[in-house]
Amino acid sequence: MRTGRMTFHDSVLALLVAVGSVPLFLLQSAARAEWTRAPDAFGVALVLLMSAPVAVRRSWPLAGLCASLVPQTLLAALGYGFGPAAPAGLVLLYSVAAHRGLAAALCALTLSLAVYTVGVSAGPVTPARWSDHLVVIVVLVALWGAGRSLRLRRAYLAELKDRAARLERAHAADTRAARAEERSRIARELHDVVAHHVSVMTVQAAAARKVLASDPELAREALSAIENTGRVAMAEMRDLVGVLRAGTRAELGPQPGLRDLPALVEQMREAGLDTGLSVHGEAGRPLPAGVDLAAYRLVQEGLTNSLRHAGAGARAEVTVRHAPGELDVRVEDDGLGAAAGARPPGHGLVGIRERVALYGGIIDVGPKSGGGFEVRARFPLKDER
């Protein structure tokens, strides 16, 4: 569609150039009748013929210029007084400079100047002064320069548009990456908050169902623990959703950390998992908040997996070791290590790996050689003095 419009416009321009060139040709011949050849039908035909290539000035500008220069040269050589400074030649020279590369544009300018020189030299003697020739040369060079300027401006604008498009694509890619990262973070936080409490509630509900008839008091304690665990889960979920919801101001409490491990261990004991906790060494300074939270979530996920998969009668042990420049956290049990390792990794362990990697740590997850399952992570700590 665009090519058709361009062709139509160029054809109209060629018609206008032809209509304008014929009167100009007749007036010039009449004004210089004493030293130019009288206009005739052949001269008019040459004028019309040199104007026809303007119709392809954007499709084949250099070829059109060469085709137009042939009748123009004949007009000059036969003494009609028309040369490369005719309207068609000027339009085509400008078109080559505006729509083709530098090499083609220089070729067109050189060809126009050469044809003008040959036409003047081969034609009849004229009283033209050197200033007249200088004016023609200046006009040719000026139009050529105007065409080159337009082409360079178009190239500059195209580069700006392309750069803006690249920046927009890069911004869109960054936005998608940020959204994906945020979705991953939200999913990890939701899993860490919900999975542990739901697992504890599931185990306690199963225990309450088994002893409901034989030991109602024990079942009542299990149901009370389920109620408390559910309330804690709801409170944490409410805080998390309040943070994620735009425009909502949530009441934020401190994030859990290693200081909360005793309460976590006690909760696991109440859920039926025999759990021990040992802490070696002392932190020289408060742990970074992110490392503290990641270590707590690792212990929480490790104990939750032990509660789910270790089996009845298994014991879990949590070991926290503070060393110079390093924090070592380990969760191990003596349950069904090989069977647990055969299970596909869940979202919890994937999230823990991401947390540990975020702080430059190293994590090992898998069954132990002597039986049982182990989750261990080592976090590097910067020694800031």
Side-chain angles (χ1 to χ4, degrees):
M1 184 66 68
R2 178 179 174 84
T3 303
R5 288 200 304 268
M6 290 172 51
T7 302
F8 174 75
H9 293 161
D10 290 343
S11 300
V12 172
L13 179 61
L15 180 61
L16 294 177
V17 169
V19 171
S21 297
V22 172
L24 184 62
F25 169 69
L26 298 176
L27 290 175
Q28 176 181 280
S29 299
R32 302 180 180 180
E34 68 278 4
W35 53 271
T36 58
R37 181 174 175 174
D40 51 20
F42 181 70
V44 172
L46 289 177
V47 171
L48 296 176
L49 187 61
M50 76 175 182
S51 302
V54 175
V56 295
R57 71 181 191 90
R58 278 184 282 193
S59 303
W60 300 287
L62 185 58
L65 176 64
C66 294
S68 179
L69 286 178
V70 174
Q72 290 182 32
T73 303
L74 290 176
L75 285 170
L78 295 176
Y80 287 106
F82 244 36
L90 298 179
V91 170
L92 288 168
L93 177 61
Y94 170 83
S95 300
V96 175
H99 298 285
R100 290 297 180 265
L102 180 61
L106 288 174
C107 178
L109 178 62
T110 303
L111 184 62
S112 296
L113 294 175
V115 168
Y116 177 73
T117 303
V118 171
V120 170
S121 303
V125 179
T126 65
R129 297 170 297 178
W130 66 270
S131 58
D132 297 331
H133 301 306
L134 180 60
V135 169
V136 173
I137 294 175
V138 169
V139 170
L140 292 175
V141 174
L143 281 175
W144 181 88
R148 289 302 303 166
S149 177
L150 177 63
R151 178 174 176 80
L152 293 177
R153 179 175 176 79
R154 286 175 176 170
Y156 176 71
L157 293 177
E159 176 63 24
L160 288 181
K161 291 181 180 178
D162 182 64
R163 184 181 303 176
R166 291 198 304 268
L167 290 176
E168 185 175 356
R169 290 193 297 270
H171 177 70
D174 292 342
T175 301
R176 289 193 298 269
R179 288 176 177 173
E181 182 179 356
E182 185 66 12
R183 285 194 296 267
S184 177
R185 185 186 69 84
I186 293 172
R188 186 169 60 244
E189 291 294 339
L190 286 173
H191 180 277
D192 291 342
V193 169
V194 176
H196 167 72
H197 295 295
V198 172
S199 297
V200 172
M201 292 167 63
T202 301
V203 173
Q204 290 174 333
R209 179 179 54 82
K210 291 180 180 179
V211 300
L212 183 58
S214 59
D215 193 347
E217 185 63 27
L218 183 59
R220 188 178 298 110
E221 292 179 1
L223 292 174
S224 178
I226 291 174
E227 181 182 1
N228 293 332
T229 304
R231 287 176 179 174
V232 172
M234 286 298 298
E236 293 189 13
M237 279 288 296
R238 190 176 296 111
D239 289 342
L240 179 58
V241 172
V243 173
L244 298 178
R245 183 178 298 162
T248 300
R249 300 181 62 182
E251 295 182 1
L252 301 180
Q255 291 282 6
L258 295 182
R259 66 185 178 278
D260 300 303
L261 288 183
L264 177 62
V265 169
E266 184 61 29
Q267 186 184 45
M268 300 307 296
R269 289 172 182 167
E270 294 177 357
L273 178 64
D274 186 12
T275 309
L277 172 64
S278 58
V279 179
H280 303 277
E282 294 183 0
R285 58 179 55 84
L287 293 173
V291 174
D292 197 19
L293 176 60
Y296 176 85
R297 294 301 189 196
L298 181 141
V299 175
Q300 187 181 55
E301 181 64 25
L303 291 178
T304 302
N305 285 338
S306 297
L307 180 65
R308 287 177 176 176
H309 309 305
R315 173 179 171 79
E317 185 69 28
V318 179
T319 304
V320 178
R321 189 181 303 276
H322 296 277
E326 184 181 76
L327 174 66
D328 190 338
V329 181
R330 178 184 303 179
V331 180
E332 55 185 341
D333 62 58
D334 56 3
L336 305 176
R343 295 176 179 271
H347 295 290
L349 289 179
V350 173
I352 291 301
R353 290 182 185 276
E354 293 177 354
R355 286 185 184 273
V356 174
L358 180 63
Y359 297 102
I362 301 174
I363 185 171
D364 297 316
V365 178
K368 299 191 300 182
S369 58
F373 200 81
E374 178 185 50
V375 179
R376 181 183 181 183
R378 294 182 292 276
F379 297 91
L381 302 176
K382 294 182 179 180
D383 186 13
E384 299 178 357
R385 298 181 180 275

